[in-house]
Amino acid sequence: MLAEFLSPLFNGLFSAMVVFLFATGLTLIFGILRILNFAHGGFFMLGAYLAFTLVRLIGGDMSIASYLLVSIAAGIAVGFCGLVVERLIFRRLQHVDEAYSLIATYALLLISEGAVKAIWGVSFHSATTPSALGSAVVVGDLVMPVFAIFIIALGVLCYAVLEWILQHTAVGKLMKSLASDPWMAGMLGINVPRFYAWIVVIGFFLAGLAGGLLLPNQTLSPNLASVFVVQAFGVLIVGGMGNIRGAFLASILLCVIDSYGSIVFSQVPGIFFYVAMAVMLLARPQGLIAGARL
Amino acid sequence: MLDVGPLDAFYGDSHIVQNVSITIGDGEGVAILGRNGVGKSTLFKSIMNGGPRVDGPIRLRGEDITGLPSFARARRGLGFVPEDRRIYPHLTVAENIAMGGHAARADRPPYTLEDIFGFFPLLRDLQTRRGFELSGGQQQLLAIARAIYGRPDCLLLDEPTEGLAPVIVEDLARQINAFRAANGTACLIAEQNVRFARTCTERLYLIDSGVIVFSGTWAEFDAQADLQQRYLAV
Ligand SMILES: Nc1ncnc2c1ncn2[C@@H]1O[C@H](COP(=O)(O)OP(=O)(O)O)[C@@H](O)[C@H]1O
Ligand SMILES: [Mg+2]
């Protein structure tokens, strides 16, 4: 009885934090640079594959600590890719029509998929969950996998850290200022291009980190790049176009609604994410948190 | 101090600023007068590399700054207040002022907040207010405070009195003059308010349709009675 009601909530929160972890880097880059990075999923996938290779190299069962370290290493490697991508591509997109951003980042997505195919092949791989996260917590008849609890906690932690940085640190205030008026920031002596480069690196780091963290939950194939992209774009839009808090709330709202919807209408699972998204956009076209960027 | 031009500036195909040359000496106050739409803001943005396509040299303290991005010009000693002020609404007054510190140079640390409140006492009581809570006059004062915080050699004020009540304009002139007298900061002011410009500067350029039509001291300006009628009155 309890499980019937709470289990969709738990599953919804789990999907929500998966989507949110995926969407943070995307949201950050969009919030500050106003570039919608279609390649985000490609670099998320690259992070997952890199983490997969590291796990293989280490061998045996992983502790939680090494799982986290592997994910951070994947994040750093993808962050370096971000540095190159910023130099070669994003820097050139600042002063051109948005259509070019779309084409350029889509091309980058194809390149990242091609790179993954070339390095790891097209066959499917899967990583095992660290055994410390492999069990489940049972409350009454509600079964909660520890890995899912762990991801929910990581998602909330990731949100809390980003929110704290944005609201309470000098760097966060600078980020919000640059997001709202980069032109004036330049007039005041702030090296805006270098700041943008850092944001891209951090956004890519978050993509790679998410790839590593969500690896135990995924089947690795070159399709992984597009698994979360549509949901992440939905969260970005419903959240208010580049607002971290909005993205967090939108992830929870859409995924929990979807989770309950899929129980009630089990013939069409997954469709309620989009129904909820459409309703939200009709009700609040400006997004959950409008006006304030980041 | 600042030697501009001969300079041409364009928005797309429109040739807005045409063959304009201006110079400002060390610590000097200079006004650029002209009606709406003659190209004053375009000239200021050209000096800061903040939008228009610019053709022509700009030298600051003898150094060629042509081609440098805006942030580098700010760091070389240009403190800019745009006509729309652009206060950061989510930041407090103190935080807005501190944003100007990014322009400070290693050999010249920024002023302290105390210094700034000494120049503009009104800001002291407002320091925890957020940008969006300020009146137009308070925003203008804050924008100037923010621009001087990094100790610029030359302050560029684009129509500082636009939209301000006359009594506030008078206050503003007094505070700007006191600050400049104490610190020897040069100043270029774009204005349509002749009275204010006269109080704050020693000489002026008149600009019409992107071209300089007069340059001289205020006494020389007054000697040609038709100038004001022809290029300023509406
Ligand atoms: N961003 C812009 N794009 C195109 N034209 C502009 C832009 N800004 C100003 N202009 C044009 O340039 C001319 C000069 O404008 P401006 O420099 O703002 O004049 P002022 O500051 O003297 O009122 C005007 O005709 C205006 O329409
Ligand atoms: Mg103007």
Side-chain angles (χ1 to χ4, degrees), chain A residues 1-9 141-142 260 263:
Chain A
M1 189 56 221
L2 184 71
E4 217 168 289
F5 184 70
L6 285 184
S7 161
L9 177 66
D141 48 359
L142 178 63
Y260 280 105
I263 298 286

Side-chain angles (χ1 to χ4, degrees), chain A residues 250-266:
Chain A
S251 303
I252 294 175
L253 195 70
L254 297 180
C255 289
V256 169
I257 288 176
D258 183 65
S259 184
Y260 280 105
S262 299
I263 298 286
V264 179
F265 298 90
S266 53

Side-chain angles (χ1 to χ4, degrees), chain B residues 36-58:
Chain B
N36 255 339
V38 297
K40 303 182 295 297
S41 299
T42 307
L43 175 62
F44 274 47
K45 285 173 190 160
S46 302
I47 295 173
M48 290 307 294
N49 197 1
R53 182 164 56 82
V54 183
D55 188 7
I58 302 173

Side-chain angles (χ1 to χ4, degrees), chain B:
Chain B
M1 160 69 40
L2 182 64
D3 300 286
V4 178
L7 196 93
D8 292 275
F10 306 82
Y11 278 121
D13 291 334
S14 325
H15 193 172
I16 310 284
V17 169
Q18 301 175 17
N19 198 38
V20 163
S21 296
I22 57 171
T23 59
I24 301 155
D26 281 356
E28 201 181 15
V30 175
I32 307 252
L33 299 189
R35 287 194 182 107
N36 255 339
V38 297
K40 303 182 295 297
S41 299
T42 307
L43 175 62
F44 274 47
K45 285 173 190 160
S46 302
I47 295 173
M48 290 307 294
N49 197 1
R53 182 164 56 82
V54 183
D55 188 7
I58 302 173
R59 302 176 76 79
L60 180 63
R61 286 178 281 112
E63 253 179 290
D64 190 9
I65 61 167
T66 318
L68 287 185
S70 309
F71 79 87
R73 295 181 190 212
R75 290 181 186 183
R76 302 259 166 137
L78 292 178
F80 177 43
V81 179
E83 61 186 331
D84 47 359
R85 293 154 201 170
R86 298 211 183 205
I87 295 304
Y88 285 105
H90 62 283
L91 297 182
T92 64
V93 165
E95 288 166 345
N96 265 291
I97 295 172
M99 286 287 281
H102 293 276
R105 285 171 285 159
D107 58 327
R108 262 167 105 188
Y111 289 109
T112 61
L113 270 183
E114 262 321 298
D115 294 332
I116 297 289
F117 296 146
F119 305 140
F120 305 111
L122 201 86
L123 292 179
R124 186 190 298 276
D125 295 333
L126 299 173
Q127 56 182 303
T128 56
R129 285 277 179 92
R130 296 202 181 236
F132 68 83
E133 298 170 309
L134 303 179
S135 71
Q138 293 167 338
Q139 286 194 18
Q140 185 60 52
L141 214 54
L142 175 56
I144 297 173
R146 182 177 66 177
I148 63 172
Y149 186 63
R151 271 185 216 272
D153 297 308
C154 184
L155 196 53
L156 308 173
L157 307 180
D158 191 357
E159 295 210 41
T161 69
E162 200 184 1
L164 303 190
V167 19
I168 295 180
V169 170
E170 241 168 77
D171 252 17
L172 191 65
R174 218 165 1 82
Q175 293 178 79
I176 290 173
N177 285 338
F179 166 74
R180 289 190 46 233
N183 297 275
T185 311
C187 190
L188 183 66
I189 305 182
E191 260 308 337
Q192 301 192 55
N193 182 334
V194 177
R195 211 175 113 97
F196 172 82
R198 188 193 294 275
T199 325
C200 294
T201 61
E202 291 98 63
R203 59 189 180 85
L204 71 150
Y205 295 90
L206 258 181
I207 180 168
D208 192 46
S209 308
V211 180
I212 289 184
V213 290
F214 168 85
S215 130
T217 62
W218 284 101
E220 286 162 348
F221 173 75
D222 292 335
Q224 300 187 39
D226 62 322
L227 282 179
Q228 180 144 354
Q229 183 58 35
R230 213 155 22 128
Y231 297 117
L232 290 168
V234 265

